[in-house]
Amino acid sequence: DKLTLQLKWVTQGQFAGYYVAKDKGFYKEANLDVEIKPGGPDVAPPQVIAGGGADVVVDWMPSALATREKGLPLVNIAQPFKRSGMMLTCRKETGITKPQDFKGKTLGVWFGGNEYPFLSWMNHLGLKTDGGPNGVTVLKQGFNVDPLIQKQADCISTMTYNEYWQVIDAGIPADQLVTFKYEDEKVATLEDGLYVLQKSLDDPKMVEKLARFVKASMKGWDYARQHPDEAANIVLENDASGAQTEKHQKRMVAEINKLTEGSTGVLDVAAAERTVETLLGGGSDPVITKKPEGAWTTKVTDAAK
Amino acid sequence: MNFIRNSVVPVGTVLLAILALWYAFAIILNAPFERDQAARANTTIATGQLIANTMAQERPVLPAPHQVAEEIRKTVFDISPTSKRSLVYHGGVTLSSTLLGFGLGTLLGILLAIAIVHSRTLDKSLMPWIITSQTVPILAIAPMIIVVLNAVNITGLLPKAMISTYLSFFPVAVGMVKGLRSPEIMHLDLMHTYNASKAQVFWKLRWPASMPYLFTSMKIAVAISLVGAIVGELPTGAVAGIGARLLAGSYYGQTVQIWAALIAAALMAAILVSLIGLVATLVNRRMGVRP
Amino acid sequence: MRLSRSPLAIAAFLLAVPGLLISSGGDVLDTLTYSTPVILFVAAAVAMFTSVSIPSLIVVLALVHVVAFCLIGLLHAMPQPPGPSLGYWCMVISSWLLAWFSVQNLAGLKLTSPQAQRLVNLALPVLFGAWLLLLWEIIVRGFGVPSILLPPPSMIAERISGSVPTLWADFQQTYLKAAIAGYVIGCGSGFLAAIIVDRVPFLRRGLLPIGNLVAALPVVGIAPIMVMWFGSYWESKAAVVVIMTFFPMLVNTVAGLAASGAMERDLMQTYGSSYGQTLLKLRLPAAMPFIFNALKINSTLALIGAIVAEFFGSPIVGMGFRISAEVGRMNVDMVWAEIFVAALAGSLSYGLITLIERAVTFWHPSYRT
Amino acid sequence: MTVVALRPKAQSMPNATPKNVIDVKDLSLVFQTNDGPVNALSNINLAVNGGEFVSFIGPSGCGKTTLLRVIADLEQPTSGTISVNGMTPSEARQNRAYGYVFQAAALYPWRTIGGNISLPLEVMGVPKAERASRIAKNLELVNLAGFEKKFPWQLSGGMQQRASIARALSFDPDMLLMDEPFGALDEIVRDHLNEELLKLWAKTQKTVIFVTHSIPEAVFLSTKIVVMSPRPGRIHEIIDCNLGTERTLDIRETPEFLEIAHRVREGLRHGHSYDE
Amino acid sequence: MTVVALRPKAQSMPNATPKNVIDVKDLSLVFQTNDGPVNALSNINLAVNGGEFVSFIGPSGCGKTTLLRVIADLEQPTSGTISVNGMTPSEARQNRAYGYVFQAAALYPWRTIGGNISLPLEVMGVPKAERASRIAKNLELVNLAGFEKKFPWQLSGGMQQRASIARALSFDPDMLLMDEPFGALDEIVRDHLNEELLKLWAKTQKTVIFVTHSIPEAVFLSTKIVVMSPRPGRIHEIIDCNLGTERTLDIRETPEFLEIAHRVREGLRHGHSYDE
Ligand SMILES: Nc1ncnc2c1ncn2[C@@H]1O[C@H](COP(=O)(O)OP(=O)(O)OP(=O)(O)O)[C@@H](O)[C@H]1O
Ligand SMILES: Nc1ncnc2c1ncn2[C@@H]1O[C@H](COP(=O)(O)OP(=O)(O)OP(=O)(O)O)[C@@H](O)[C@H]1O
Ligand SMILES: [Mg+2]
Ligand SMILES: [Mg+2]
């Protein structure tokens, strides 16, 4: 059976599980022919699935819930990432040691749906984000770590498995950095999950197919946890841009494994509800205005057992 | 001999000057980081060492020319052109959609210009919207276009080429509208006395008279096509092509790789532009343009 | 009674008939469902059976626009799947053909009063655009295209009216600061470079081939570098615009400077005129059509460049910022609102430059026909 | 032979005035300029019979070119009527009734001299072999044999003008409209071409409308001389001039010739008195 | 008065030949074309004294324009030497020694007639008020008063030509190079301008080099007539023509005049015999 998976970002260790499942034949064993489409800064997975370009997408929950409110019924069918890898990384010389020190500083934030946990956090801290003296100045961060290195920002958003290491690679040692994990600040939202359109779930055949897919994917993740270096190499082979380095990918897979540790793919409803809480508390212009209904289901993971 | 005096020497001189400037800027722009590093390590750094360091950083603000050259050498010559790490491979991917897009764009531009010059309705109603079409930031709607095209099963080269087409038809259309209207009144009157058909006026007068405009526009269009092809590579998952290299380079802070890809793009464009220049010269010669 | 021979009118008439016969698919059998096909039929009949004249064209146009609004109204009253029926689509196409028919004939008319002519000249693109939007609305709603792929214009319009302050702030940041500064510097330096290159043959041979290189620097490649060098604020966007606008100006000016006639140049020679005088009095005026060509192309490039550059890091205001941020939030209507502002600003600046061009190069044969 | 085709046509239409090839009635033309209107033509009345050779002569700016352009449907009169071959000028143009020689050579710079002469032939669909022979013949006629492959800017002013005459003759139109065709030529060439034109006219019975500034030329060539005067452009006098069809250059010494020339000169001078 | 300035200069340089304003020795010019070389000028020898009025006459394509262009430094000879005012043509040009009237009008389309005449004055830095008066004076001279604000395409061919003459006269150069300036004008205007030019020349003692196709014009105006012949372009004969400085149009009936005209015609005919 054919199935198309749209990733959220370019081919990298973040998606090791799926590549491993494909490369190691786990999908084939499950009688699936899976096509993996890499993403990028200009690829919005919900748009792709709305346009019929994919059956399943990897997306973060804030973006998926926002899309749902816009009338495209995305449903979470599985959640391979248990924990959030997002954090703020600051240069030590800025004197920031705790979140309260952000006042008056310039912070780099990713936009496009990823800003809500940040806004909600600032809301908790009572800091305004309008650039005034009693708040913080927010920069829209491009998809690299230059603002920190060029000292255009005091802190930038990083993922534990990616940008953080780029900062290190750029020559700023870890002891010169201060990091704040969203997970620790209790403003984390659920990251990489698998989403499908509601109508797929209405078709029992499709549900069964998806169940096989989720199962095989989780097998891929398990394998990646056991063989991180091999998983990194598989990712490298699948990278058509030829731009990834082995060192970085190995590190990334290792970090990713910390996030998927202990996940069976079943969504932790409490975590999902916490995500909703965070998003609803996102300040003046919240990403979602009401509690979503039916935004996740255990139908597929149940069938996968 | 003449060629050497008239092109090689001047181009060489200018290139040398640019190289010298480039080195100077590389040192100036990269130095603060080295000083920071020294400060972090609580040491001071001698000027000679500083300069040497600025030219060998792993992620410099501005890589030194030899670093870029080395990267290009590595990715062009050391790696087989079919490998995904070869710049030749990525260049080829981009080139094919550039050429397709440019070809379609030029054709579309010329056809539109012809329609506009010959139809008052189109001149009045279409022209403003052609202009408006270009004020739409293509990068913003490219993803949607590509998603939509994907949905109707158009994939592969064509969606990327369509972005090039979208960008490149415009300079051609604008230039050709001007060019097709540039014949002298008396030359038009002459055709009028022959009661030449619109097609004859077009082929025998408007078209040859518009040649200088056509080639000038085509030079701009081919350069923009390349940009379009690169832009178009991003929303298709940035899997291959110069755009993918740029993106990945910028994403992972591989400044040297960005610059290598940029230079490759620029060289490609220069070759394309000068090819058009060559065609223009040949056509000029055939048309007896006064040297 | 005389048959209008226009194939447009005939096709429109033929399509209006099934609209009359087949139910348009509206569930509620209200006045709209009945009256729309009738009005359309009347309009088509007028177009078909009366001779082409200003009054009849105006009648057709007026009726067709009434029909258009009815069609949109019908759309709202329809159950979403299955959507409109065949009859409905026939009416859409028929009314579109009728509008096209009247517009074409209006454009063909030679009006005696210059005011009326000006009115028609203005009405044509407006009508064309209005129908573009209308068809967009009907197709998007009729086929049930998800709004995160393509929102209908009505939704975009609502969003625009609801977010004027945001749009204005973004416009200020991107257009008034980055685009204009970059445009002025880019065009200015391209122009100066062309003069220098033209003056010094050595540079012409050396610099021009290399100038071509600059043209092809893709904005997605330069933008991150400029952000790295000039920071996230508007200066880096202006730098991107400078690089984008430089080359078209250079190429066009160089071509324009070569455009003056041989005898005209000889004339200046006999006056023993200096290089500067020949430039100022002969070659620049003769180059103006080319220079304006570049100014026009650049006016659209500048805005695009400034917007795209904001994708690669920016403060949290600006059209490019808004577009990239709202795409992620799936607020596609806001994205289109920004695109609308961009298109409006771009078209207006283009129009302004065209007006100046007309005044400056009035002598060019293309304005004398 | 095209003329042969014309005559029967005229005969078969009894209520058309068969002889009036050009019929201008009360024609006026006003140009609107940035600087106010210019009365280029005012109340022109003129009838030209088929096979006539009519010269227009008059001070610079009196509207000769404009009148020729009206006949050729290149300019629309502001008022009055004009018919050409019993049709409107526009219909006549669509029948390719005439060849026009402009005051300036108006050669296409991207075509060689041969290519320029070939232009009307291509437009009218003359086959290639025929084109080549006509080009050769007409280049010969204007003494430009051997310049076929040159581009216009490689020719002297007079040569360009001759090329443009060859172009107008090449497709053998029934009517020739010539705007100072021999202005840039020296006396000898001019005499030569005058004779050739006269021969051509006598042989083919074309109608020729001819603008010139040379009084002897006008008298030598024409059957009718129209003297115009400026501001507003109008017809001052129409002088008949029947020196027979078989003229040689010697005729210029005869008293009849000198008598007509004198009348034309007087008329011209009269026209001039208005501006000085 | 510019002439006054010239003479003392010449006197202060005893070894310069003060009278030879133009001195051409063994000059040849070959154009390379796509179609083989063209011998436009071959072995030209010519000396023109200051204050002379020299006419070039010859069949179309014999190299008159080319020779004028060489004098004006618009064309470089292939071999031979030429000096103008004892300098190279290039230096002379930079000294703004002459005004050139082209065979075609060459008016700038973006300037009005007044603006076109003002052009050389602007280039030479004449103050604004002075410019206005000179424009008015020269437009008057060529009978174009009232057309100052028109654009070139709004003028007839002859009017454009006259505007271009006014432009060349406007800055009062020591030497005038005129390439068929009166070709597009009718006899009356032509006679008038001939007289005006002669008056101007007599008054200011300018050196005039004048290309014409009209034998009477050449004889009437010149002190020296250079008859040229084509392929290769060369000087066939130089005919002196001293009818005194105070000439009127009546002179054209005198036997001396007719005698010279006859000689010129013979020379011309001789030149033509080569191509027919
Ligand atoms: N730029 C050029 N390239 C090639 N050949 C040229 C060029 N200019 C002139 N010629 C040739 O040189 C010869 C002399 O030309 P020139 O213009 O001097 O003639 P002319 O005596 O002025 O004739 P006319 O009286 O017709 O103006 C002609 O045969 C012409 O074809
Ligand atoms: N396109 C135009 N726009 C405005 N005025 C014009 C235009 N064409 C001609 N005129 C004016 O019309 C008048 C007649 O011009 P026309 O060209 O017919 O003169 P002409 O008799 O041919 O003169 P010439 O012998 O000098 O060629 C002139 O006063 C001229 O200024
Ligand atoms: Mg005329
Ligand atoms: Mg000449």
Side-chain angles (χ1 to χ4, degrees), chain C residues 193-222:
Chain C
I195 303 266
I196 293 168
V197 154
D198 176 78
R199 176 79 225 239
V200 190
F202 185 79
L203 280 184
R204 175 165 57 230
R205 288 190 223 106
L207 206 59
L208 217 46
I210 294 172
N212 293 352
L213 296 178
V214 182
L217 292 179
V219 59
V220 286
I222 317 168

mmCIF file of all heavy atoms in Angstrom, chain C residues 193-222:
data_model
loop_
_atom_site.group_PDB
_atom_site.id
_atom_site.type_symbol
_atom_site.label_atom_id
_atom_site.label_comp_id
_atom_site.label_asym_id
_atom_site.label_seq_id
_atom_site.Cartn_x
_atom_site.Cartn_y
_atom_site.Cartn_z
ATOM 1 N N ALA C 193 27.285 53.537 -12.003
ATOM 2 C CA ALA C 193 28.200 52.512 -12.512
ATOM 3 C C ALA C 193 28.144 52.486 -14.032
ATOM 4 O O ALA C 193 29.182 52.377 -14.696
ATOM 5 C CB ALA C 193 27.833 51.148 -11.945
ATOM 6 N N ALA C 194 26.941 52.631 -14.577
ATOM 7 C CA ALA C 194 26.809 52.607 -16.034
ATOM 8 C C ALA C 194 27.567 53.776 -16.652
ATOM 9 O O ALA C 194 28.244 53.634 -17.669
ATOM 10 C CB ALA C 194 25.337 52.666 -16.431
ATOM 11 N N ILE C 195 27.466 54.940 -16.032
ATOM 12 C CA ILE C 195 28.166 56.120 -16.555
ATOM 13 C C ILE C 195 29.675 55.893 -16.513
ATOM 14 O O ILE C 195 30.395 56.150 -17.481
ATOM 15 C CB ILE C 195 27.803 57.352 -15.709
ATOM 16 C CG1 ILE C 195 26.308 57.554 -15.712
ATOM 17 C CG2 ILE C 195 28.576 58.562 -16.203
ATOM 18 C CD1 ILE C 195 25.783 58.477 -16.734
ATOM 19 N N ILE C 196 30.124 55.378 -15.384
ATOM 20 C CA ILE C 196 31.565 55.145 -15.242
ATOM 21 C C ILE C 196 32.028 54.115 -16.260
ATOM 22 O O ILE C 196 33.018 54.307 -16.975
ATOM 23 C CB ILE C 196 31.891 54.668 -13.809
ATOM 24 C CG1 ILE C 196 31.615 55.801 -12.826
ATOM 25 C CG2 ILE C 196 33.331 54.203 -13.710
ATOM 26 C CD1 ILE C 196 31.622 55.374 -11.384
ATOM 27 N N VAL C 197 31.273 53.033 -16.317
ATOM 28 C CA VAL C 197 31.620 51.957 -17.230
ATOM 29 C C VAL C 197 31.632 52.465 -18.669
ATOM 30 O O VAL C 197 32.466 52.094 -19.485
ATOM 31 C CB VAL C 197 30.583 50.828 -17.049
ATOM 32 C CG1 VAL C 197 30.444 50.000 -18.293
ATOM 33 C CG2 VAL C 197 30.972 49.958 -15.874
ATOM 34 N N ASP C 198 30.724 53.354 -18.955
ATOM 35 C CA ASP C 198 30.639 53.901 -20.305
ATOM 36 C C ASP C 198 31.809 54.848 -20.577
ATOM 37 O O ASP C 198 32.330 54.918 -21.679
ATOM 38 C CB ASP C 198 29.329 54.655 -20.434
ATOM 39 C CG ASP C 198 29.210 55.331 -21.775
ATOM 40 O OD1 ASP C 198 28.895 54.621 -22.738
ATOM 41 O OD2 ASP C 198 29.467 56.542 -21.862
ATOM 42 N N ARG C 199 32.216 55.549 -19.556
ATOM 43 C CA ARG C 199 33.273 56.535 -19.725
ATOM 44 C C ARG C 199 34.624 55.860 -19.897
ATOM 45 O O ARG C 199 35.469 56.286 -20.683
ATOM 46 C CB ARG C 199 33.303 57.453 -18.481
ATOM 47 C CG ARG C 199 34.418 58.468 -18.467
ATOM 48 C CD ARG C 199 34.032 59.602 -19.361
ATOM 49 N NE ARG C 199 35.078 60.037 -20.238
ATOM 50 C CZ ARG C 199 35.576 61.258 -20.271
ATOM 51 N NH1 ARG C 199 35.148 62.150 -19.413
ATOM 52 N NH2 ARG C 199 36.484 61.595 -21.131
ATOM 53 N N VAL C 200 34.857 54.818 -19.140
ATOM 54 C CA VAL C 200 36.168 54.175 -19.142
ATOM 55 C C VAL C 200 36.055 52.832 -19.858
ATOM 56 O O VAL C 200 35.562 51.876 -19.287
ATOM 57 C CB VAL C 200 36.654 53.956 -17.699
ATOM 58 C CG1 VAL C 200 38.102 53.509 -17.694
ATOM 59 C CG2 VAL C 200 36.478 55.218 -16.891
ATOM 60 N N PRO C 201 36.483 52.782 -21.108
ATOM 61 C CA PRO C 201 36.316 51.538 -21.871
ATOM 62 C C PRO C 201 36.966 50.345 -21.186
ATOM 63 O O PRO C 201 36.449 49.231 -21.249
ATOM 64 C CB PRO C 201 37.012 51.837 -23.198
ATOM 65 C CG PRO C 201 37.118 53.311 -23.266
ATOM 66 C CD PRO C 201 37.156 53.821 -21.872
ATOM 67 N N PHE C 202 38.066 50.624 -20.492
ATOM 68 C CA PHE C 202 38.746 49.540 -19.794
ATOM 69 C C PHE C 202 37.800 48.910 -18.777
ATOM 70 O O PHE C 202 37.686 47.692 -18.672
ATOM 71 C CB PHE C 202 39.980 50.100 -19.093
ATOM 72 C CG PHE C 202 40.830 49.052 -18.437
ATOM 73 C CD1 PHE C 202 41.692 48.285 -19.194
ATOM 74 C CD2 PHE C 202 40.755 48.838 -17.077
ATOM 75 C CE1 PHE C 202 42.480 47.328 -18.597
ATOM 76 C CE2 PHE C 202 41.536 47.871 -16.482
ATOM 77 C CZ PHE C 202 42.399 47.122 -17.239
ATOM 78 N N LEU C 203 37.106 49.756 -18.054
ATOM 79 C CA LEU C 203 36.163 49.239 -17.061
ATOM 80 C C LEU C 203 34.978 48.563 -17.730
ATOM 81 O O LEU C 203 34.456 47.584 -17.229
ATOM 82 C CB LEU C 203 35.662 50.374 -16.171
ATOM 83 C CG LEU C 203 36.605 50.796 -15.068
ATOM 84 C CD1 LEU C 203 35.947 51.862 -14.217
ATOM 85 C CD2 LEU C 203 36.998 49.602 -14.210
ATOM 86 N N ARG C 204 34.577 49.126 -18.864
ATOM 87 C CA ARG C 204 33.437 48.517 -19.541
ATOM 88 C C ARG C 204 33.754 47.068 -19.863
ATOM 89 O O ARG C 204 32.948 46.185 -19.650
ATOM 90 C CB ARG C 204 33.101 49.281 -20.819
ATOM 91 C CG ARG C 204 31.981 48.588 -21.605
ATOM 92 C CD ARG C 204 31.373 49.473 -22.675
ATOM 93 N NE ARG C 204 32.370 49.946 -23.601
ATOM 94 C CZ ARG C 204 32.513 51.216 -23.952
ATOM 95 N NH1 ARG C 204 31.737 52.125 -23.430
ATOM 96 N NH2 ARG C 204 33.449 51.577 -24.789
ATOM 97 N N ARG C 205 34.962 46.883 -20.370
ATOM 98 C CA ARG C 205 35.324 45.520 -20.735
ATOM 99 C C ARG C 205 35.565 44.664 -19.502
ATOM 100 O O ARG C 205 35.325 43.471 -19.505
ATOM 101 C CB ARG C 205 36.561 45.531 -21.622
ATOM 102 C CG ARG C 205 36.234 46.058 -23.004
ATOM 103 C CD ARG C 205 37.375 45.867 -23.976
ATOM 104 N NE ARG C 205 37.531 47.082 -24.777
ATOM 105 C CZ ARG C 205 38.504 47.951 -24.621
ATOM 106 N NH1 ARG C 205 39.445 47.738 -23.717
ATOM 107 N NH2 ARG C 205 38.563 49.021 -25.361
ATOM 108 N N GLY C 206 36.047 45.300 -18.443
ATOM 109 C CA GLY C 206 36.388 44.534 -17.252
ATOM 110 C C GLY C 206 35.218 44.351 -16.310
ATOM 111 O O GLY C 206 35.019 43.291 -15.732
ATOM 112 N N LEU C 207 34.431 45.411 -16.131
ATOM 113 C CA LEU C 207 33.436 45.401 -15.067
ATOM 114 C C LEU C 207 32.101 44.828 -15.518
ATOM 115 O O LEU C 207 31.407 44.176 -14.755
ATOM 116 C CB LEU C 207 33.237 46.832 -14.566
ATOM 117 C CG LEU C 207 32.740 46.966 -13.124
ATOM 118 C CD1 LEU C 207 33.700 46.307 -12.165
ATOM 119 C CD2 LEU C 207 32.571 48.429 -12.773
ATOM 120 N N LEU C 208 31.772 45.070 -16.783
ATOM 121 C CA LEU C 208 30.450 44.651 -17.244
ATOM 122 C C LEU C 208 30.240 43.137 -17.130
ATOM 123 O O LEU C 208 29.221 42.695 -16.613
ATOM 124 C CB LEU C 208 30.220 45.132 -18.677
ATOM 125 C CG LEU C 208 28.805 45.588 -18.976
ATOM 126 C CD1 LEU C 208 28.270 46.500 -17.896
ATOM 127 C CD2 LEU C 208 28.739 46.260 -20.326
ATOM 128 N N PRO C 209 31.212 42.338 -17.581
ATOM 129 C CA PRO C 209 31.017 40.893 -17.423
ATOM 130 C C PRO C 209 30.856 40.513 -15.961
ATOM 131 O O PRO C 209 30.083 39.621 -15.618
ATOM 132 C CB PRO C 209 32.292 40.279 -17.986
ATOM 133 C CG PRO C 209 32.907 41.339 -18.815
ATOM 134 C CD PRO C 209 32.476 42.641 -18.253
ATOM 135 N N ILE C 210 31.568 41.218 -15.092
ATOM 136 C CA ILE C 210 31.481 40.877 -13.679
ATOM 137 C C ILE C 210 30.194 41.420 -13.076
ATOM 138 O O ILE C 210 29.602 40.813 -12.183
ATOM 139 C CB ILE C 210 32.731 41.395 -12.954
ATOM 140 C CG1 ILE C 210 33.925 40.611 -13.478
ATOM 141 C CG2 ILE C 210 32.599 41.218 -11.458
ATOM 142 C CD1 ILE C 210 35.242 41.105 -13.016
ATOM 143 N N GLY C 211 29.748 42.559 -13.633
ATOM 144 C CA GLY C 211 28.461 43.092 -13.191
ATOM 145 C C GLY C 211 27.347 42.089 -13.407
ATOM 146 O O GLY C 211 26.434 41.971 -12.606
ATOM 147 N N ASN C 212 27.483 41.320 -14.486
ATOM 148 C CA ASN C 212 26.487 40.280 -14.757
ATOM 149 C C ASN C 212 26.390 39.302 -13.592
ATOM 150 O O ASN C 212 25.336 38.751 -13.321
ATOM 151 C CB ASN C 212 26.864 39.492 -16.000
ATOM 152 C CG ASN C 212 26.777 40.345 -17.239
ATOM 153 O OD1 ASN C 212 26.293 41.476 -17.174
ATOM 154 N ND2 ASN C 212 27.242 39.826 -18.351
ATOM 155 N N LEU C 213 27.531 39.086 -12.940
ATOM 156 C CA LEU C 213 27.538 38.140 -11.826
ATOM 157 C C LEU C 213 26.583 38.586 -10.731
ATOM 158 O O LEU C 213 25.853 37.801 -10.164
ATOM 159 C CB LEU C 213 28.948 38.026 -11.239
ATOM 160 C CG LEU C 213 30.018 37.460 -12.156
ATOM 161 C CD1 LEU C 213 31.357 37.468 -11.445
ATOM 162 C CD2 LEU C 213 29.673 36.034 -12.537
ATOM 163 N N VAL C 214 26.629 39.878 -10.461
ATOM 164 C CA VAL C 214 25.823 40.406 -9.367
ATOM 165 C C VAL C 214 24.339 40.122 -9.609
ATOM 166 O O VAL C 214 23.584 39.858 -8.689
ATOM 167 C CB VAL C 214 26.056 41.919 -9.233
ATOM 168 C CG1 VAL C 214 25.276 42.480 -8.072
ATOM 169 C CG2 VAL C 214 27.541 42.187 -9.051
ATOM 170 N N ALA C 215 23.971 40.152 -10.903
ATOM 171 C CA ALA C 215 22.557 39.991 -11.242
ATOM 172 C C ALA C 215 22.004 38.686 -10.744
ATOM 173 O O ALA C 215 20.860 38.591 -10.350
ATOM 174 C CB ALA C 215 22.404 40.040 -12.739
ATOM 175 N N ALA C 216 22.843 37.674 -10.799
ATOM 176 C CA ALA C 216 22.313 36.346 -10.569
ATOM 177 C C ALA C 216 22.417 35.941 -9.117
ATOM 178 O O ALA C 216 22.067 34.835 -8.770
ATOM 179 C CB ALA C 216 23.064 35.359 -11.419
ATOM 180 N N LEU C 217 22.905 36.822 -8.259
ATOM 181 C CA LEU C 217 22.963 36.440 -6.860
ATOM 182 C C LEU C 217 21.531 36.273 -6.390
ATOM 183 O O LEU C 217 20.767 37.228 -6.356
ATOM 184 C CB LEU C 217 23.676 37.524 -6.058
ATOM 185 C CG LEU C 217 25.154 37.645 -6.393
ATOM 186 C CD1 LEU C 217 25.796 38.763 -5.580
ATOM 187 C CD2 LEU C 217 25.884 36.338 -6.137
ATOM 188 N N PRO C 218 21.143 35.052 -6.076
ATOM 189 C CA PRO C 218 19.748 34.829 -5.721
ATOM 190 C C PRO C 218 19.429 35.457 -4.377
ATOM 191 O O PRO C 218 20.238 35.414 -3.451
ATOM 192 C CB PRO C 218 19.646 33.307 -5.649
ATOM 193 C CG PRO C 218 21.031 32.832 -5.490
ATOM 194 C CD PRO C 218 21.940 33.837 -6.087
ATOM 195 N N VAL C 219 18.260 36.046 -4.308
ATOM 196 C CA VAL C 219 17.885 36.770 -3.101
ATOM 197 C C VAL C 219 17.912 35.852 -1.884
ATOM 198 O O VAL C 219 18.284 36.266 -0.793
ATOM 199 C CB VAL C 219 16.505 37.439 -3.283
ATOM 200 C CG1 VAL C 219 15.449 36.414 -3.582
ATOM 201 C CG2 VAL C 219 16.137 38.251 -2.081
ATOM 202 N N VAL C 220 17.581 34.582 -2.093
ATOM 203 C CA VAL C 220 17.585 33.677 -0.939
ATOM 204 C C VAL C 220 18.998 33.407 -0.450
ATOM 205 O O VAL C 220 19.202 32.980 0.676
ATOM 206 C CB VAL C 220 16.922 32.331 -1.275
ATOM 207 C CG1 VAL C 220 15.433 32.499 -1.364
ATOM 208 C CG2 VAL C 220 17.476 31.741 -2.534
ATOM 209 N N GLY C 221 19.972 33.643 -1.312
ATOM 210 C CA GLY C 221 21.351 33.469 -0.884
ATOM 211 C C GLY C 221 21.897 34.726 -0.232
ATOM 212 O O GLY C 221 22.631 34.673 0.766
ATOM 213 N N ILE C 222 21.530 35.867 -0.794
ATOM 214 C CA ILE C 222 22.091 37.114 -0.281
ATOM 215 C C ILE C 222 21.439 37.504 1.028
ATOM 216 O O ILE C 222 22.107 38.029 1.913
ATOM 217 C CB ILE C 222 21.818 38.282 -1.239
ATOM 218 C CG1 ILE C 222 22.063 37.865 -2.672
ATOM 219 C CG2 ILE C 222 22.674 39.465 -0.910
ATOM 220 C CD1 ILE C 222 21.531 38.887 -3.618
#
